[in-house]
Amino acid sequence: MPLHSFADLVADAIDAKGAPACVGLDPVLDRLPTPIRAASSDPVRAIHAFCEGVIEAVADVVPVLKPQSACFERYGPAGVAAIAELIALARARGLVVVLDAKRGDIGVTAEHYARATLGPPEGEAGWMNADAVTLSGYMGPDTIEPFLDCPGKGVFVLVRTSNPGSDAIQAQRLADGRTVAEMVADMVAALGRPTIGERGLSSVGAVVGATKSADAAALRARMPNTIFLIPGYGAQGGTLDDIRPCLRPGANRPGEQGVLVNASRSVLFPAGGGGEDWQAHVRAAAGGLVNELRSL
Amino acid sequence: MPLHSFADLVADAIDAKGAPACVGLDPVLDRLPTPIRAASSDPVRAIHAFCEGVIEAVADVVPVLKPQSACFERYGPAGVAAIAELIALARARGLVVVLDAKRGDIGVTAEHYARATLGPPEGEAGWMNADAVTLSGYMGPDTIEPFLDCPGKGVFVLVRTSNPGSDAIQAQRLADGRTVAEMVADMVAALGRPTIGERGLSSVGAVVGATKSADAAALRARMPNTIFLIPGYGAQGGTLDDIRPCLRPGANRPGEQGVLVNASRSVLFPAGGGGEDWQAHVRAAAGGLVNELRSL
């Protein structure tokens, strides 16, 4: 059990900021503030400048940042270089970084992805150096295990996602009575058990959408030591009441509630925040998220 | 129904080369031929040079190339730039390119990934420009659909993978009698139905491992018009007898058998092929694969 596991790092960061808030860095070119768009016609430069500004605006306010890899990958190698730089900047500013890449592959290929996303930046050993990465577990536990060999790093495995179509797979009922999501939850709990740190939390987290609160209590019972990364709050319709069934019972401090609640659009693109003072609006929106989550 | 759907493109390419052979481009630095390693100490340059040589060696022999994104992503932006260049080279040499990236995300994020992997190379609209990409379907049909809006392009959805741990998820039995893999197969068949082309094949393919032949006949029955991308042949232990249950019954030409059989290590790193004449060994190994698959 490492002294500074990923789970301990997250719990400490949440306690320091007072709420389990995560800002999703999902930049969309068409929605960038006017001054950012005016400063550069190059999409990657504009997105890079915007994300730098977001990181500076929220670094003192929230504990965790979740960059969306797809938003950068779509701009090719320049976009990939940008996300790597932004991850380094965010970590230098004290943010814990969860790279949302939803990778999932087997054996040696999973090792490559582990290096690509969690590896240290020196030489050929890797370069993204995120604190954690999101993964798909459809191919089984041996696709997750290579990521667990990275000391101090974590993963979040897709369990119950917030999109409308997820029921077609994840809500299906097995012959043994579990749903498919519950089966994956059991795998996540088992993989995470050896990684439980000083704060009682495992470094193998689960993605559980805020719009699936009816399933959340059952998933929490199956994953008592798991951090739930919860997308779908705010713009996608999830509320505090949707999140409450995800909480670990009896937690005394916010870092031990076992949740990490993500908001993207509502923080990045708040209403009326497209002008010169856009960073103040982003900071205020992040502060609003923290204040809301304090009442969990 | 587009005249030149992805499925038609693959079927024509297979017929032209005489067998449903796919070479997996999974370069591993430690295994590169001696002359390649001697020419450059930079890992990305060495891998790039090796892959160029492989493409030149196999382009006349096999119909399809499957680059493994992870092998390039682990080298950061330079690796990503390399795979994009190699995809362009392979397509210019007449190979159909399936990018093995196993992406899977929702809504606008899926659109970003579709642009990143299948998008045309001009401007910000995209850059990889592969003919098809592998996807995870765990998040449901709405995570696949954005990729189907790309004209002439295809996808392969993970259904039954070849790794040992896959049983823990994919072989689980649902209350309705289907396995999880069969449930995903039904989703694949339904998504693919509107895309069936002139050769009777859909552009929504399935990944079905050669080591899971016991399940293959049932999966074929559920996906009669689906192209099975079959990893696990050769180095992973799959044989021709494992592949036969995957074939569409009654096909008259190899392009209509509905399979695409992948070999990676056995073609890239054939025994004794690490010297000056390494390209001849790769070409011979690719030719051997085609000859074996002709007897399907």
Side-chain angles (χ1 to χ4, degrees):
Chain A
M1 183 197 312
L3 272 181
H4 295 286
S5 73
F6 169 73
D8 290 340
L9 178 76
V10 170
D12 289 351
I14 290 171
D15 285 347
K17 302 288 174 59
C22 176
V23 169
L25 200 58
D26 300 45
V28 177
L29 196 61
D30 296 344
R31 300 190 66 181
L32 298 186
T34 308
I36 292 284
R37 282 193 283 179
S40 178
S41 61
D42 177 74
V44 176
R45 282 195 195 175
I47 283 175
H48 194 289
F50 173 68
C51 292
E52 276 185 343
V54 170
I55 290 168
E56 299 292 354
V58 307
D60 295 340
V61 182
V62 301
V64 181
L65 189 78
K66 181 173 75 65
Q68 172 50 258
S69 189
C71 295
F72 298 87
E73 287 183 52
R74 70 166 284 171
Y75 296 107
V80 173
I83 194 174
E85 289 167 19
L86 293 164
I87 290 172
L89 172 65
R91 296 182 80 222
R93 289 289 183 280
L95 290 162
V96 176
V97 176
V98 177
L99 177 64
D100 198 354
K102 299 189 177 67
R103 299 299 195 257
D105 212 311
I106 67 174
V108 68
T109 310
E111 290 171 27
H112 289 313
Y113 278 131
R115 294 274 186 118
T117 56
L118 304 180
E122 59 270 15
E124 72 87 30
W127 57 287
M128 278 272 188
N129 203 11
D131 295 297
V133 63
T134 58
L135 299 178
S136 168
Y138 182 74
M139 296 176 77
D142 45 346
T143 65
I144 311 295
E145 286 158 355
F147 291 83
L148 309 184
D149 296 334
C150 304
K153 305 287 187 172
V155 301
F156 289 91
V157 180
L158 298 173
V159 171
R160 189 73 178 101
T161 60
S162 55
N163 55 310
S166 65
D167 286 2
I169 306 289
Q170 299 160 20
Q172 297 298 306
R173 187 70 59 180
L174 297 182
D176 64 17
R178 297 178 296 174
T179 62
V180 168
E182 288 168 355
M183 168 184 67
V184 177
D186 290 346
M187 178 181 81
V188 166
L191 285 168
R193 213 160 285 132
T195 74
I196 294 173
E198 297 191 324
R199 307 290 297 270
L201 294 163
S202 110
S203 290
V204 182
V207 177
V208 177
T211 59
K212 303 297 175 186
S213 60
D215 301 343
L219 293 172
R220 173 51 74 196
R222 290 179 179 275
M223 299 185 283
N225 304 100
T226 302
I227 302 173
F228 287 16
L229 174 61
I230 306 178
Y233 185 72
Q236 283 185 57
T239 65
L240 288 181
D241 282 339
D242 292 320
I243 292 165
R244 289 201 175 92
C246 297
L247 299 178
R248 296 174 75 215
N252 292 317
R253 298 164 69 185
E256 291 172 5
Q257 289 175 307
V259 297
L260 200 49
V261 181
N262 184 76
S264 297
R265 283 168 278 175
S266 59
V267 174
L268 300 185
F269 311 115
E276 287 296 335
D277 58 346
W278 67 273
Q279 276 184 288
H281 280 84
V282 168
R283 186 179 172 90
L289 174 67
V290 166
N291 278 337
E292 286 165 34
L293 298 178
R294 276 181 198 270
S295 61
L296 274 176
Chain B
M1 187 195 313
L3 271 181
H4 296 286
S5 73
F6 168 73
D8 290 340
L9 178 76
V10 169
D12 290 351
I14 291 171
D15 285 347
K17 302 288 173 58
C22 176
V23 169
L25 200 58
D26 301 43
V28 177
L29 195 62
D30 295 345
R31 300 190 68 180
L32 299 186
T34 307
I36 292 285
R37 282 194 281 178
S40 177
S41 62
D42 177 74
V44 176
R45 283 194 195 174
I47 282 175
H48 194 289
F50 172 68
C51 292
E52 276 185 343
V54 170
I55 290 168
E56 299 292 354
V58 307
D60 294 340
V61 183
V62 301
V64 181
L65 188 78
K66 182 174 75 66
Q68 170 51 258
S69 189
C71 295
F72 298 87
E73 287 183 54
R74 69 166 284 170
Y75 296 108
V80 173
I83 193 173
E85 290 167 20
L86 293 164
I87 290 171
L89 173 66
R91 297 183 78 224
R93 289 290 182 279
L95 289 162
V96 176
V97 175
V98 178
L99 176 64
D100 197 354
K102 299 188 176 69
R103 297 299 193 261
D105 212 311
I106 66 174
V108 68
T109 310
E111 289 171 27
H112 289 313
Y113 278 131
R115 293 276 184 116
T117 56
L118 305 180
E122 58 270 15
E124 71 87 30
W127 57 289
M128 278 270 188
N129 204 11
D131 296 296
V133 62
T134 57
L135 299 178
S136 167
Y138 182 74
M139 296 176 78
D142 46 346
T143 65
I144 310 295
E145 285 157 356
F147 292 82
L148 309 184
D149 295 334
C150 303
K153 305 286 185 172
V155 301
F156 290 91
V157 180
L158 298 173
V159 172
R160 189 73 177 102
T161 60
S162 56
N163 56 309
S166 64
D167 286 2
I169 306 288
Q170 300 160 19
Q172 298 298 308
R173 188 69 61 180
L174 297 182
D176 64 16
R178 298 178 295 174
T179 62
V180 168
E182 288 168 355
M183 167 184 68
V184 176
D186 289 347
M187 179 181 80
V188 166
L191 285 167
R193 212 160 285 132
T195 74
I196 293 172
E198 297 190 326
R199 307 291 296 272
L201 293 163
S202 108
S203 291
V204 181
V207 177
V208 177
T211 58
K212 303 297 174 186
S213 59
D215 302 342
L219 293 172
R220 173 51 74 196
R222 290 180 178 276
M223 299 185 283
N225 304 98
T226 302
I227 303 174
F228 287 16
L229 174 61
I230 306 178
Y233 185 73
Q236 284 185 58
T239 66
L240 287 181
D241 282 340
D242 292 320
I243 292 165
R244 289 201 175 91
C246 297
L247 299 178
R248 295 174 74 216
N252 292 317
R253 300 164 69 185
E256 292 171 4
Q257 289 175 306
V259 297
L260 199 49
V261 181
N262 184 75
S264 297
R265 283 167 278 175
S266 59
V267 174
L268 300 185
F269 310 114
E276 288 296 336
D277 58 347
W278 68 272
Q279 277 185 288
H281 281 84
V282 167
R283 187 180 171 89
L289 175 67
V290 166
N291 277 338
E292 287 165 34
L293 298 178
R294 277 181 198 273
S295 62
L296 274 176

